Amino acid sequence: MVKIIMGLKGSGKTKRLVDMVREAVDADHGDVVCIEKDKKLTYDIPYRARLIDAGEYGIGTYEFLQGFISGLHAGNYDITHIFVDNFYKLVGDKSIDALDRFVTWLDAFSTSQNVEFVLSVSSELENATDNIKSHVI
């Protein structure tokens, strides 16, 4: 399952994502990963969740991010949730079409590997495609 928290800067996306990370950790049925560009959430994310500073890995394309996510899962089949904060800060292409293609891939990956994804995306909902809107929470 792919869920997208979408809104403009300052609309509370990160707070909502952090709350969802806490809920996933409290469910205690698998490993939880949170990916962010910097280490801004170090004190907000529970210690039982794995916080990854993606800035250390030079993620800049959707293809790199797909490989990164695939590698995370290949190294740990116990991952049940992956959260990505400030999605557009990780990838260079901020077009809605590129995001749509990525969400399609992510949805297929999520289904086949039984991993739930939550992305926070800084964009207006009115710009989203129908596919993206179907994942917005």
Side-chain angles (χ1 to χ4, degrees), residues 18-80:
V18 167
D19 289 343
M20 293 176 79
V21 170
R22 288 184 181 137
E23 290 171 13
V25 166
D26 289 342
D28 200 36
H29 65 282
D31 292 342
V32 177
V33 175
C34 184
I35 302 169
E36 67 170 333
K37 178 70 173 173
D38 304 307
K39 289 188 175 185
K40 293 180 181 177
L41 299 178
T42 301
Y43 299 107
D44 298 318
I45 299 296
Y47 72 92
R48 293 181 298 178
R50 171 80 165 111
L51 183 61
I52 297 175
D53 176 5
E56 295 180 9
Y57 301 100
I59 296 173
T61 66
Y62 287 94
E63 292 79 14
F64 190 118
L65 186 55
Q66 287 173 351
F68 189 81
I69 289 170
S70 298
L72 278 175
H73 187 263
N76 182 355
Y77 291 116
D78 293 331
I79 294 174
T80 57

Side-chain angles (χ1 to χ4, degrees), residues 107-126:
D107 194 38
F109 184 88
S110 172
T111 301
S112 69
Q113 302 302 321
N114 198 29
V115 178
E116 184 174 318
F117 290 88
V118 178
L119 312 175
S120 73
V121 179
S122 290
S123 181
E124 293 185 29
L125 181 59
E126 63 193 34

